[in-house]
Amino acid sequence: MVGNNLETIIENNKVTYKRYFDVPVDLLFEVWSSNEHLAEWWGPDGFTLTTISLNFSNGGIWDFVMHGPDGHDYKNKIQFIDIQKPHLISYKHIGDGEGDEDVDFQSKIIFESVGDGTNLTMEQIFSSKAELERVNEKYGAIEGGKQHVGNLAKYLERIK
Amino acid sequence: MNAFAALADDTRRDIVRLVVENGELTSTEISQNFQMSPPAISQHLKVLKDANVLLMKKDAQKRIYSLNQTGLKEMEDWILDVKNLWSKRFDKLDQYVMKLKKERTNGRK
């Protein structure tokens, strides 16, 4: 597909993604901040998105449903913790509205201007296997063969 | 506790590295490499065993630890799954913002 310049760093229980987008920082920030924009790109292929409510401000909630290609609905609720336009969006998942299980999964997105483009850094901190599995379930089975990312010695070197 | 949480601790990561470098080690041999008391190390070893990071086999009075490939492979797989999802999502985001950029540039002409 497109030139994928995604860099991934794994340390402890945190995964960091870095990617360059060839658009100004204001535009990249803008598409995270409104329902019309999010509906265009948030869902994986085959998914559609319905926003129940979106309050894009500190402490505000984004309550939405993703409709999977298999007819399943996946409820989501996100709370914005810290928004600093146009440089930072930090949010946590506060449940899927379907269980009383505590969700403990946080994301922090940092936007940095570089020339005419923007470097996006996203940090995800998760606390449990169950959490990751739930995230995966939200999007149905993720297709594609899994390549082995190398032997353990290297892996442990990376997570130092 | 799961593998991620188990490995979030510095001492436990050092233990795993030590085991990886040596292939197999007894709990006594592991303890000798740390300042911590043997009971404290035993507790860490229990966490690593329960999280499927290490395997333990008993040989008379000895407890011998080695790496549990299954647990670590699972961990790598979860990370890859989440990475794949975001990789695709960022692809879509990229296409979308490039489209917007083009539209807005044309709109200004």
Side-chain angles (χ1 to χ4, degrees), chain A residues 1 7 33 54 59 83 89 93 95 97 104 106 108-109 121 136 150 153:
Chain A
M1 198 45 234
E7 184 194 334
S33 63
L54 170 63
I83 297 173
I89 300 170
H93 293 256
D104 188 4
Q106 295 207 7
K108 189 191 225 175
I109 304 137
T121 304
N136 285 341

Side-chain angles (χ1 to χ4, degrees), chain B residues 36-101:
Chain B
M36 239 177 248
S37 70
I41 292 295
S42 289
Q43 191 53 43
H44 282 308
L45 287 169
K46 184 179 182 306
V47 169
L48 289 166
K49 182 170 77 74
D50 292 347
N52 290 331
V53 176
L54 293 181
L55 288 169
M56 191 268 287
K57 61 182 182 194
K58 282 187 179 168
D59 180 11
Q61 292 305 306
K62 285 186 198 159
R63 289 167 172 234
I64 303 167
Y65 288 88
S66 61
L67 191 70
N68 183 340
Q69 296 285 0
T70 315
L72 284 148
K73 177 73 175 70
E74 277 176 16
M75 206 166 124
E76 287 184 345
D77 286 347
W78 304 322
I79 291 174
L80 278 177
D81 280 348
V82 174
K83 186 192 161 179
N84 286 342
L85 168 70
W86 276 96
S87 180
K88 285 183 186 151
R89 187 173 275 169
F90 283 145
D91 282 346
K92 280 182 84 170
L93 173 62
D94 193 41
Q95 288 167 32
Y96 179 59
V97 291
M98 292 312 286
K99 192 181 92 174
L100 282 181
K101 182 181 165 182

Side-chain angles (χ1 to χ4, degrees), chain A residues 58-77:
Chain A
N58 288 354
I61 304 270
W62 178 26
D63 194 353
F64 62 99
V65 182
M66 290 173 55
H67 312 284
D70 56 356
H72 266 105
D73 280 356
Y74 303 90
K75 290 181 184 173
N76 279 269
K77 210 178 256 191

